[in-house]
Amino acid sequence: MSGTWLGMPAFPRNAEAALGNSRLRANLRKATHTIRARRAAGVDEMPGWAKLRARGAAVKDAALRDLDKHLLRAEEAVTTAGGRVHWAADAAEANTIVTELVKATGHREVVKVKSMATQEIGLNEALAAEGITAYETDLAELIVQLGDDLPSHILVPAIHRGRAEIREIFRDRMAAWGRPAPDGLGDDPRALAEAARLHLRERFLASKVAVSGANFLVAETGTLVVLESEGNGRMCLTLPETLISVVGIEKIVPTWQDLAVFLELLPRSSTGERMNPYTSMWTGAAEGQEFHLVLLDNGRTGVLADEIGRQALRCIRCSACLNVCPVYERAGGHAYGSVYPGPIGAILTPQLRGTATPLDASLPYASSLCGACYDVCPVAIDIPEVLVHLRARVPHPPAERAGLAAAGWLLDRPGRLRAAQRLAGRLRGLVPRRRLPGPGAAWTDTRDVPPVPAESFRDWWRRTGGEDR
Amino acid sequence: MTGRGSRERILARIRAATAGLPPVPDAAGPPPAPRERTEAEIVRTAELFAARVRDYRATVHLVAPGGVPAAVAGALAGRGARRVVRPGGLPVEWPAGDGVEFLADEPPLTAAELDAADGVLTGCAAAVAETGTIVLDAGAGQGRRALTLLPDYHLCVVRAGQIVPGVPEVLGRLDPARPLTWISGPSATSDIELDRVEGVHGPRTLEVIVELPAV
Amino acid sequence: MRVGLFVTCVNDTLFPETGKAVVTLLRRLGCEVDFPMAQTCCGQMHVNTGYRDEGVRLARGFLDVFAGYQAVVVPSGSCASMIREQYPKLAAGMGASRPGAFASAHGGRSPFARAVAEVTPRVYDLAEFLVDVLDRTDVGAYFPHRVTYHPTCHSLRGLRAGDRPLRLLRAVRGLELVPLAAADECCGFGGTFAVKNAAVSAAMCADKVANVLNTGAEVLCAADNSCLMHIGGTLARQRAGVRVMHLAEILAQTEDAR
């Protein structure tokens, strides 16, 4: 039913393959630059952004500090309001819970609101294995699902696709999933959005079970919050008889009033809008619906235990860090091999999944540490700090370890450094400028090597006392 | 059902991970205290609200006190809406318009009936000027959530006194126990090459009437 | 004022002319410059590649060597940023209290943390030192060429150097400063990133080079020779005819010297 992240090679190889795809690069470049400019305009307009950002970080920290109390409070509030709360330690358990809940309704089809948590646990695949079809309803998720593709962006999962490709996917694949694409469908985004509207309309009206995630869960009231743009979220949250929401435990905010901070931070960071078109909030069983809340750990408590890494749990999934990241812009989202791509993915995935695979171990290095991600993060996650922290934890290749050990030995004593500099100065004529051997070849593939000077600075200083130019 | 053992396990892991951490002070602070506003302030806030809603490419009419019925009739005529859904608890004088049939939600209209209607007329619970946002709470004059979702045209009446300056203020006016829908312009998507297209699954047209206070 | 020059291991070994230019410039501006011979490296490459223990050992060495100076000048935005921004985080990871609200469980201050707190506030990137400490933007330089400036990530977002380098360059007589498009974007160097993710690094640099060439500048200037080695190496490979120069080397030039 859809592609898989399993068995992907390490990030550098994936990125290199993506760099060779000129259409992908053009799509990504256009999209990231557009959304980057929109965010900048939205944030610049807002007075006191720095203060708001600091409060966002502080509220999340407060929520994480007493996460157990807040979760219990939310559980009580949701239960009091007629909902049922389930706890899932890992992906398998969450999938089992949701599958059983859907089966209990007697229905075999569910409509889905775009949700990172359900992608993280592979819910659609788990449901399919039990004969239940999950229909994605967000336009970009629909494009990904119809195209038997993988998401490549947190906010705009089909960001890697251009309009012509989307038209092809709709024309070729819509009929297999429901109402076919209209005859003579063009590639104007307006026409494509209309085709999606028609394709999903009857599905919404007939749907009995919906699965969602949530952007926020308010501990003191038990209120769930979903931000969206298209209205597919409202359709799924409102019309079906049964609603199942899978929510990561870090989505909690302590108080109702805390929402103000995030409703101001998230839309501007995410799409650059003052506010997204639709936000739904509900507490327990709304308007007679049957409501289930599945609280998901799946590695989050492990992240919480890491003093430096835990700040990643503040993330509100705005994707601002993806949009400014020069590495993401060139490598694309698939290279990260996870539903969480880009800078936040590079620190979240290795913490949630571990670093046992070559791909996961390579993610902390998928950054030049330029810091653009930290600058735009609305909850001030110091992504470069966490990347560096994780780099100290992953296994290092033996050749690199030997090289850095040798460099460390040289730099440890000024005398050793001076001796090495003198040796290099004497051999300077032998250093190839355009083709280094071994690992140095990665440098000289595209770059010349600077000439080695005859005399190092320290030897010059020693010789002249710094007087002679 | 699974999950009982997991509840205790997750809570225990959280406690182990956060054990000994110093407390974090309350960061969000109290909500802004409500205060009396002058008529002039209310009008200025309403004007900002109108400008921000227009930025979302929605139509906004500012009307004098008592001007709502005429504005409703004008808007429905302009739209050509003949069959319009009317939630319970709407001020009786608002549904106006020659030849317009207003559909009450009693007994509840089916999804298909709502889908087939030309539009829906509602009030709101509160609104936010800064972001051009209308908040519905399924209360009187608003109806259950499906009413403002399935018809393709939403005509919403906002009284100027319901508009607060910003998001922090509006939360204090809302009841979290009610299902809330925040609406900022018509439904939209930017999923195709980041081009914004108004109108996907929600109402493709949003029209707003703001009733100003007497001055 | 007595200034300790931390020339950095890269400049020491590969770009001595930059160090010499700093000495010339600071002396011209009335500073007494000292180069403590015991210095080697700030530890950035090791820490940022994931070899924290080796990096911390080098950091300790730096703190020992520069403990006594009124001011330490570093002609590298990324090394200055390593010392000022990352040393405190390393100290925090070693048991000191972390900045921010969600603090560490372990309080206390190690000797390393104390040294970091004492030394690092007096460490300056060259442009910061000139503008903030010496209060100079016109340093009496003369450089009659068309120049564009790449701000480098760690100066821009680490040190928050702002427009200090540009103010210095604008005050250089004869110099025509031309703006660089997308200047705030990373050039793709990133230390070992340049070889570990060589393809992405090269792609980033290709865009940087295209923007540089579009300016029509004769000289690309930056306050960090590592980035310049990467961009300059690409320019040289393309035989683009644009020179790269460290900020210090431009600011050191005077009309007399011509």
Side-chain angles (χ1 to χ4, degrees), chain C:
Chain C
M1 178 181 281
R2 185 163 162 264
V3 175
L5 171 61
F6 175 57
V7 80
T8 81
C9 62
V10 168
N11 287 326
D12 181 12
T13 307
L14 290 173
F15 304 101
E17 296 309 316
T18 295
K20 294 177 197 175
V22 175
V23 174
T24 304
L25 176 63
L26 292 181
R27 285 192 176 149
R28 194 168 80 218
L29 298 174
C31 295
E32 186 190 329
V33 183
D34 192 16
F35 177 79
M37 281 295 198
Q39 66 179 280
T40 60
C41 169
C42 66
Q44 177 172 219
M45 178 177 73
H46 284 91
V47 169
N48 284 356
T49 310
Y51 299 79
R52 186 161 52 200
D53 294 348
E54 290 89 333
V56 167
R57 206 166 65 227
L58 295 169
R60 282 186 213 282
F62 171 88
L63 293 167
D64 282 349
V65 170
F66 287 98
Y69 289 92
Q70 261 179 293
V72 180
V73 173
V74 186
S76 158
S78 80
C79 301
S81 157
M82 168 71 189
I83 295 160
R84 259 209 348 245
E85 309 298 317
Q86 275 183 269
Y87 279 14
K89 291 175 190 171
L90 286 173
M94 291 158 59
S97 62
R98 286 180 61 70
F102 199 13
S104 156
H106 330 283
R109 281 158 73 79
S110 62
F112 180 74
R114 275 201 303 276
V116 167
E118 194 186 303
V119 177
T120 59
R122 288 178 279 115
V123 174
Y124 303 93
D125 164 64
L126 177 64
E128 290 177 326
F129 181 75
L130 296 174
V131 175
D132 298 350
V133 181
L134 299 184
D135 197 21
R136 297 286 292 266
T137 46
D138 184 348
V139 296
Y142 172 75
F143 190 72
H145 297 282
R146 196 175 158 87
V147 175
T148 193
Y149 185 77
H150 169 55
T152 76
C153 302
H154 292 168
S155 294
L156 194 67
R157 286 178 284 267
L159 298 171
R160 308 276 160 198
D163 66 348
R164 290 178 187 85
L166 295 173
R167 282 154 65 196
L168 289 161
L169 287 171
R170 281 192 203 108
V172 173
R173 270 167 284 287
L175 187 148
E176 185 195 350
L177 185 64
V178 286
L180 177 65
D184 61 344
E185 270 197 41
C186 180
C187 69
F189 173 64
T192 48
F193 175 81
V195 288
K196 287 176 82 84
N197 274 286
V200 178
S201 170
M204 287 162 69
C205 199
D207 290 345
K208 181 61 74 181
V209 161
N211 285 325
V212 169
L213 296 180
N214 277 337
T215 65
E218 303 158 62
V219 175
L220 169 68
C221 176
D224 211 312
N225 275 329
S226 337
C227 307
L228 285 180
M229 178 171 73
H230 169 68
I231 309 171
T234 307
L235 284 164
R237 176 62 55 88
Q238 299 179 3
R239 302 185 201 284
V242 178
R243 280 187 294 155
V244 299
M245 279 179 85
H246 192 282
L247 179 66
E249 294 175 39
I250 291 180
L251 298 181
Q253 307 230 2
T254 58
E255 213 150 353
D256 305 340
R258 291 291 90 189

Side-chain angles (χ1 to χ4, degrees), chain B residues 99-194:
Chain B
V100 179
E101 181 193 351
F102 286 96
L103 312 171
D105 191 31
E106 302 154 348
L109 297 161
T110 65
E113 286 167 330
L114 288 170
D115 192 35
D118 292 333
V120 59
L121 168 68
T122 72
C124 71
V128 184
E130 169 72 37
T131 59
T133 302
I134 294 159
V135 188
L136 308 179
D137 72 355
Q142 301 160 64
R144 59 197 171 94
R145 293 174 293 175
L147 265 57
T148 50
L149 177 59
L150 292 175
D152 203 17
Y153 169 73
H154 182 190
L155 179 59
C156 185
V157 181
V158 180
R159 290 179 164 133
Q162 293 181 299
I163 308 170
V164 296
V167 173
E169 290 89 354
V170 83
L171 286 168
R173 289 198 170 202
L174 299 171
D175 176 2
R178 308 190 66 88
L180 301 171
T181 306
W182 298 43
I183 298 173
S184 308
S187 98
T189 185
S190 298
D191 279 352
I192 301 164
E193 297 184 9
L194 274 301

Side-chain angles (χ1 to χ4, degrees), chain A residues 11-13 15-16 19 25 29 33 36 58 60-62 64-65 304 307-308 310-311 314 326-327 329-331 362 365-375 382 385 388-389 391-393 396-397 400-405 407-414 417 421 424 433-435 439-440 442-453 455-463 465-469, chain C residues 5 7 9 11-24 27 33-41 45-52 54 57-58 86 89-90 92-93 96 98 100-106 153-154 156-158 160 182 184-186 188-205 207-208 211 226 229-239 252:
Chain A
F11 181 84
R13 266 183 61 192
E16 197 171 351
L19 281 163
R25 286 194 66 183
R29 185 181 171 84
H33 283 247
R36 205 183 284 181
K60 278 289 188 177
D61 284 351
L64 294 168
R65 169 65 189 81
L304 186 64
E307 193 192 325
I308 291 170
R310 65 167 67 117
Q311 56 187 308
R314 289 186 200 141
V327 177
E329 179 190 331
R330 288 162 183 89
S362 70
Y365 293 94
S367 165
S368 65
L369 304 179
C370 85
C373 49
Y374 178 35
D375 264 18
D382 191 341
E385 181 191 19
V388 168
H389 170 68
R391 287 176 185 188
R393 275 196 352 205
H396 298 131
E400 177 192 286
R401 179 170 283 287
L404 272 107
W409 184 83
L410 280 180
L411 293 166
D412 211 25
R413 297 277 189 281
L417 176 60
Q421 287 168 340
R433 300 279 309 280
R434 307 185 71 105
R435 189 173 302 167
W443 180 272
T444 49
D445 277 348
T446 57
R447 295 157 284 218
D448 283 4
V449 177
V452 178
E455 184 181 52
S456 70
F457 179 84
R458 79 177 54 232
D459 273 349
W460 170 79
W461 181 276
R462 180 182 283 263
R463 184 168 59 79
E467 295 298 339
D468 167 53
R469 283 289 335 248
Chain C
L5 171 61
V7 80
C9 62
N11 287 326
D12 181 12
T13 307
L14 290 173
F15 304 101
E17 296 309 316
T18 295
K20 294 177 197 175
V22 175
V23 174
T24 304
R27 285 192 176 149
V33 183
D34 192 16
F35 177 79
M37 281 295 198
Q39 66 179 280
T40 60
C41 169
M45 178 177 73
H46 284 91
V47 169
N48 284 356
T49 310
Y51 299 79
R52 186 161 52 200
E54 290 89 333
R57 206 166 65 227
L58 295 169
Q86 275 183 269
K89 291 175 190 171
L90 286 173
R98 286 180 61 70
F102 199 13
S104 156
H106 330 283
C153 302
H154 292 168
L156 194 67
R157 286 178 284 267
R160 308 276 160 198
D184 61 344
E185 270 197 41
C186 180
F189 173 64
T192 48
F193 175 81
V195 288
K196 287 176 82 84
N197 274 286
V200 178
S201 170
M204 287 162 69
C205 199
D207 290 345
K208 181 61 74 181
N211 285 325
S226 337
M229 178 171 73
H230 169 68
I231 309 171
T234 307
L235 284 164
R237 176 62 55 88
Q238 299 179 3
R239 302 185 201 284

